[in-house]
């Protein structure tokens, strides 16, 4: 019988696991992918994320997690009218596989048991505990007083749980955004120390972006309709060629991913019974897919609520909700800011 089973070894799950384990709680952290697991992501740690790493993990992000250029100087938005907005701030450029792997290692050092290539299939709350069905080469079960679901946007465990608690949680994010990005050798007339976001509706159905990682030019678009990826990606490449003299000599790889479609009000599902949600599966995601800081903060708040009210799940869930009010307010302000820049996000204003 574990005290807490944490599902998902991203920033939310690793932060929660470390916080719980270092206080002596028996923690099992399961990750469905082989670690270090990869996630399609900008890999930019904003200043807030860097500060949270110091606060929760007690040290700086290691160089082994970084890529070049190491320094990120901020974000440059181009709105739907072609006007630029510059947001200067300190940041770091990392590979998510290395960064998340380091976080999981710190959780393990603190005493958490970490298992990769293990999928959480379902869970059932029983009398005073939760039974979780897991799968690696075999199907088996583990039990815990709490489950903290940090599995990300797909949320398969959350959808299964929704069947047990109809009406109390959404069960799934109301719509997805598909992201598509390529890594390329080539050249461009842009400062590689910034992350660039383009909000013109002719370039994507959500946003398009550019950044540099280890001298590779990363170009991406996000769409609501997957069949339109080729159309928008082609238009974005043509735009970058015309505006910034993009020249691609070779594409090294491409990838697709999903992120939740955050809607007006920024709904958050905190959990039900002995199961809590943190990170993207809960609904915590900042504009342009910046989910690292929100994942870490929500994971830590969930862990603290569990520790404070371990014998009272109902109070623990409410305490978790209250402790993340500032985080949700921050998220809403960020979305409102983007809503004021482009018609695509006007409902968020």
């Amino acid at each position: 019988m574990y005290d807490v089973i944490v599902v998902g070894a991203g920033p939310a799950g690793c932060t929660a696991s470390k916080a719980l384990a270092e206080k002596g709680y028996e923690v099992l952290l399961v990750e469905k992918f082989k670690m270090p697991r990869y996630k399609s992501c900008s890999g930019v740690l904003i200043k807030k994320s860097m500060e949270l790493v110091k606060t929760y993990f007690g040290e700086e992000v290691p160089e082994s997690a970084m890529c070049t250029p190491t320094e990120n100087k901020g974000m440059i938005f181009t709105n739907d009218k072609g006007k630029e907005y510059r947001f200067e701030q300190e940041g770091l450029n990392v590979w998510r596989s290395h960064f998340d792997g380091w976080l999981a290692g710190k959780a393990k050092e603190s005493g958490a048991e970490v298992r990769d290539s293990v999928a959480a299939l379902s869970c059932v709350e029983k009398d005073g505990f939760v039974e979780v069905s897991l799968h690696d080469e075999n199907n088996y079960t583990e039990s815990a007083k709490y489950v903290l679901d940090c599995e990300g946007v797909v949320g398969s465990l959350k959808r299964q749980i929704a069947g047990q608690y109809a009406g109390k949680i959404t069960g799934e994010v109301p719509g997805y955004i598909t992201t598509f990005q390529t890594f390329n050798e080539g050249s461009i007339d842009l400062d590689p120390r910034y992350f660039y976001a383009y909000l013109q509706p002719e370039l994507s159905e959500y946003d398009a972006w550019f950044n540099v990682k280890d001298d590779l030019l990363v170009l991406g678009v996000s769409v609501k309709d997957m069949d339109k990826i080729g159309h928008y990606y082609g238009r974005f490449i043509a735009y970058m060629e015309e505006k910034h003299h993009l020249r691609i000599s070779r594409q090294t790889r491409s990838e697709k991913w999903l992120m939740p479609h955050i809607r007006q009000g920024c709904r958050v599902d905190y959990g039900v019974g002995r199961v809590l949600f943190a990170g993207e599966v809960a609904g915590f995601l900042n504009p342009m897919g910046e989910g690292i800081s929100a994942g870490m903060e929500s994971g830590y708040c969930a862990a603290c609520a569990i520790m404070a009210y371990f014998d009272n799940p109902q109070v623990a869930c409410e305490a978790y909700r209250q402790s993340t009010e500032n985080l949700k307010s921050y998220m809403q302000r960020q979305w409102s800011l983007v809503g004021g820049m482009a018609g695509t996000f006007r409902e968020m204003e």
Side-chain angles (χ1 to χ4, degrees):
M1 176 71 72
Y2 292 92
D3 292 319
V4 185
I5 294 176
V6 181
V7 181
C14 291
T15 302
S17 296
K18 181 182 185 298
L20 288 158
E22 67 186 4
K23 294 297 185 181
Y25 289 82
E26 294 292 330
V27 179
L28 171 62
L29 172 61
V30 298
E31 167 57 49
K32 66 180 177 181
F33 294 113
K34 179 69 177 176
M35 298 195 56
R37 62 101 153 115
Y38 181 75
K39 179 175 182 178
S40 181
C41 176
S42 68
V44 173
L45 300 185
I46 62 174
K47 185 177 181 180
K48 182 177 181 181
S49 298
M50 295 165 61
E51 292 171 348
L52 291 176
V53 168
K54 292 183 203 174
T55 300
Y56 299 151
F57 291 84
E59 56 188 278
E60 306 276 354
V61 178
E63 289 187 9
S64 60
M66 301 178 195
C67 54
T68 56
T70 300
E71 177 191 18
N72 176 265
K73 296 183 66 176
M75 300 182 68
I76 299 177
F77 288 81
T78 300
N79 74 357
D80 53 7
K81 307 299 182 185
K83 180 180 178 181
E84 282 192 358
Y85 295 82
R86 301 176 69 93
F87 298 91
E88 305 270 354
Q89 70 166 246
E90 178 186 1
L92 286 176
N93 198 7
V94 301
W95 288 112
R96 278 296 299 272
S97 54
H98 299 345
F99 177 67
D100 289 6
W102 176 72
L103 296 180
K106 302 306 289 185
K108 186 175 182 179
E109 287 177 16
S110 295
E113 180 182 344
V114 181
R115 299 182 196 169
D116 62 359
S117 301
V118 175
L121 304 177
S122 63
C123 68
V124 178
E125 184 170 342
K126 297 191 173 181
D127 186 15
F129 67 96
V130 184
E131 186 176 82
V132 184
S133 297
L134 302 171
H135 175 79
D136 44 26
E137 292 90 357
N138 303 295
N139 292 325
Y140 63 101
T141 62
E142 297 283 9
S143 297
K145 292 293 186 179
Y146 283 87
V147 169
L148 179 52
D149 184 0
C150 307
E151 60 188 327
V153 62
V154 176
S156 56
L157 187 62
K158 180 183 176 183
R159 289 197 298 272
Q160 179 271 323
I161 295 168
Q164 302 174 47
Y165 299 97
K168 293 186 178 180
I169 59 175
T170 61
E172 61 180 322
V173 178
Y176 296 112
I177 298 297
T178 301
T179 67
F180 173 78
Q181 66 179 10
T182 63
F183 294 76
N184 309 274
E185 295 174 352
S187 61
I188 195 170
D189 293 343
L190 287 172
D191 188 335
R193 294 170 296 176
Y194 289 88
F195 181 89
Y196 299 83
Y198 301 88
L199 308 182
Q200 299 97 309
E202 65 269 22
L203 302 182
S204 75
E205 290 185 304
Y206 206 66
D207 70 321
W209 61 90
F210 168 78
N211 67 324
V212 177
K213 305 187 85 63
D214 283 347
D215 298 324
L216 293 175
L217 310 181
V218 185
L219 296 129
V221 297
S222 50
V223 298
K224 300 173 185 176
D225 182 351
M226 287 183 60
D227 294 335
K228 295 181 179 179
I229 286 176
H231 167 74
Y232 283 110
Y233 180 75
R235 297 191 72 167
F236 182 49
I237 294 300
Y239 171 86
M240 297 297 277
E241 289 173 340
E242 177 185 353
K243 295 289 186 180
H244 303 295
H245 303 102
L246 169 68
R247 296 292 182 267
I248 294 176
S249 58
R250 186 172 74 96
Q251 183 183 118
T252 62
R253 76 173 189 266
S254 64
E255 58 193 27
K256 294 178 185 176
W257 206 263
L258 293 175
M259 67 178 183
H261 187 183
I262 305 299
R263 307 306 297 268
Q264 186 177 30
C266 300
R267 172 169 178 148
V268 173
D269 282 322
Y270 300 94
V272 62
R274 293 180 176 272
V275 182
L276 301 183
F277 306 118
E280 285 184 34
V281 74
F284 288 113
L285 183 68
N286 298 318
M288 307 307 110
E290 196 288 300
I292 295 175
S293 64
M296 294 179 70
E297 191 170 353
S298 60
Y300 183 79
C301 288
C304 289
I306 289 171
M307 289 187 283
Y309 301 100
F310 190 76
D311 295 321
N312 195 330
Q314 185 175 350
V315 176
C317 188
E318 176 59 20
Y320 171 42
R321 185 193 67 77
Q322 291 181 11
S323 67
T324 54
E325 285 184 351
N326 288 339
L327 171 60
K328 184 177 179 180
S329 177
Y330 171 83
M331 180 173 71
Q332 290 172 328
R333 292 195 304 273
Q334 293 292 305
W335 281 107
S336 178
L337 178 66
V338 175
M341 291 185 193
T344 305
F345 300 96
R346 195 70 71 212
E347 68 169 332
M348 306 300 291
E349 196 174 6

